[in-house]
Amino acid sequence: MTEGMPVSEVRILSSVDEVGPAAWEELTKAADVDSSHGFLRFREYVEPGRGVLFTLGPPERPRGALRGVVAVPGSGLTSDPWKFVGSQAVLRLDAGTDEAEAASLRRAQRDLVRAAADPAGRAGDDDGEPLWQALTRGLGACLVVREFDRSELLCHPEADAAEARSVAARLVRAAQTSAAEHGAGAVAFPFVSPRDTLLRSVLTEAGFRGGAMTGASWVETGGYGSYEEFLAALPSRRRRRYRLEEQRLLEAPDLTTAEVDPVRNAARIAELEARTLVKHGGLADAEAIRRARIELADRLPDDAVVIPAVIRDGRIVACALHLRGPRSVVFMTYGCDYDVEERGPAYPWAAFYHPIRTAIAHGASSVRLGLEGFEAKTRRGAVVEARELWVWTPDAAALARLGDLLELVGERNTLYLGRFSQ
């Protein structure tokens, strides 16, 4: 272990504000914009549930940190692991799936969820209760580790391998032992990379069970001196797609493109984001989104929030929201006015081509595109990698059933994600 590491207990805090910005940036300097002090303050503002921050070491120079939030029913899928594993979407059933196989998979998922939710076997008829609600009722809410499900964020970048492992293990153990005190019946790390051998090893030793649930994707932009150089390195068919889609948008007689101010345009940005959420089956509160966009801009440096917009007759008809960090440009949201039929290729320009230009111009190594939507992303050269959900609950019987469920769903997702390997 690194010489001079302070011997201290894990501190349990309610906000990143209890760690000063300078100390926080020192701890996370090997990471990116979405682990910054300002961004986590934004997360605390918008995220439903009770936030918990575990730190190890003195407050003026912590050696490690782990942040979680206790999921509540108002959380989205990415915030509540029970909604993930209780959704039929993770079974990856499609038109090519045999009907009998599909029925068998749904039945196996349901039976494993109900067995985990009630290990003593008292559940009886579920009366159509959604699977995620059964898990919440039976096991309690999850303490979900957000952002800090990457081992490089768990400890100080100067830590050697021994200290890194020790710090990660102590923080994970603190989350397990204090989950119940914060109203949680389980601890979950929802988006762990299969390449993160340190974190996966620590979670395995702590009794967690895991399996692939989704995938993350990104476009690599490091090493290119210009956008034209990036294009020249693409396969010819993909390069042609880039050029044609950008050309179609730029030559449209009634459309223009620009970066717009996130605060002055917050109401319109929120309206468009809400429309996109509703179009894809979600619930949307445009006023809450508007306030969140202003909060995000207030918490981050002026040039960190980038809004590429497609404009018609002086009005934004489509836009994306990206965060520009020192190492990557991070895709956050997309919004669109679907009543405007002639929008050209607004989505690929706002979601892919503009952020790629931005990343190359500022020396960032990648454009991080988030979860799901793999078809559109891989058509434009994105790399896809699995993300694993790791879960622990103190009831051994429930944990065993959860492990079987994660294994079942993990196999389905591994096969599905294999379609997008390059």
Side-chain angles (χ1 to χ4, degrees), residues 21-340:
W24 189 262
E25 299 308 330
E26 172 68 17
L27 175 64
T28 61
K29 64 184 178 183
D32 212 340
V33 60
D34 55 340
S35 63
S36 67
H37 195 271
F39 183 76
L40 293 186
R41 290 184 68 198
F42 164 73
R43 277 286 198 205
E44 293 172 358
Y45 170 79
V46 299
E47 205 162 38
R50 180 180 179 184
V52 188
L53 178 66
F54 304 92
T55 64
L56 183 63
E60 66 276 8
R61 196 170 188 269
R63 298 299 295 181
L66 184 153
R67 176 184 175 270
V69 62
V70 178
V72 296
S75 302
L77 270 179
T78 57
S79 295
D80 191 337
W82 296 157
K83 289 187 177 182
F84 240 143
V85 298
S87 167
Q88 288 189 11
V90 296
L91 295 176
R92 306 297 180 180
L93 306 176
D94 56 29
T97 306
D98 178 78
E99 188 174 332
E101 180 188 10
S104 176
L105 286 166
R106 294 189 190 100
R107 184 167 54 252
Q109 180 190 35
R110 182 197 64 213
D111 291 348
L112 286 169
V113 165
R114 293 178 63 191
D118 189 0
R122 298 184 301 271
D125 186 5
D126 62 9
D127 295 321
E129 180 183 31
L131 297 183
W132 72 269
Q133 287 186 1
L135 287 168
T136 303
R137 172 182 52 78
L139 301 178
C142 279
L143 173 59
V144 186
V145 177
R146 294 295 303 271
E147 286 81 41
F148 284 72
D149 48 5
R150 292 174 278 165
S151 59
E152 68 266 25
L153 299 183
L154 291 176
C155 60
H156 197 281
E158 295 175 359
D160 61 22
E163 181 184 351
R165 186 175 188 83
S166 172
V167 168
R170 293 178 68 182
L171 291 169
V172 168
R173 181 59 180 162
Q176 292 174 289
T177 56
S178 67
E181 299 172 15
H182 294 89
V187 181
F189 286 68
F191 306 123
V192 177
S193 167
R195 291 180 291 112
D196 196 336
T197 55
L198 170 60
L199 181 56
R200 293 170 89 247
S201 174
V202 167
L203 293 176
T204 298
E205 291 182 3
F208 283 71
R209 298 290 298 271
M213 290 290 113
T214 183
S217 58
W218 64 91
V219 174
E220 296 177 348
T221 55
Y224 296 103
S226 68
Y227 184 67
E228 288 301 318
E229 185 179 328
F230 169 83
L231 288 180
L234 295 176
S236 59
R237 180 177 296 182
R238 189 169 296 148
R239 180 168 60 249
R240 188 169 184 270
R241 177 188 291 275
Y242 272 60
R243 293 194 187 280
L244 286 177
E245 287 184 325
E246 286 193 293
Q247 184 178 351
R248 280 179 53 207
L249 183 60
L250 296 175
E251 291 180 352
D254 56 349
L255 297 178
T256 58
T257 60
E259 285 187 15
V260 300
D261 184 87
V263 175
R264 288 198 298 269
N265 297 281
R268 181 59 174 169
I269 292 167
E271 179 186 354
L272 297 180
E273 288 185 18
R275 290 192 182 197
T276 296
L277 284 170
V278 171
K279 180 179 175 65
H280 290 91
L283 301 175
D285 182 340
E287 175 56 23
I289 297 173
R290 184 193 69 82
R291 293 194 300 268
R293 295 297 156 256
I294 293 173
E295 182 77 13
L296 177 63
D298 285 346
R299 296 298 188 191
L300 294 176
D302 290 342
D303 59 351
V305 180
V306 181
I307 310 287
V310 177
I311 301 166
R312 182 181 185 185
D313 297 328
R315 187 169 176 78
I316 300 173
V317 298
C319 63
L321 188 159
H322 304 276
L323 302 181
R324 185 174 68 80
R327 292 169 178 79
S328 61
V329 172
V330 183
F331 173 83
M332 297 287 288
T333 60
Y334 177 74
C336 184
D337 185 344
Y338 297 95
D339 293 334
V340 179

Side-chain angles (χ1 to χ4, degrees), residues 212 406-416:
L406 291 169
E407 183 177 342
L408 169 73
V409 175
E411 290 177 355
R412 296 290 302 175
N413 278 274
T414 298
L415 287 172
Y416 172 74

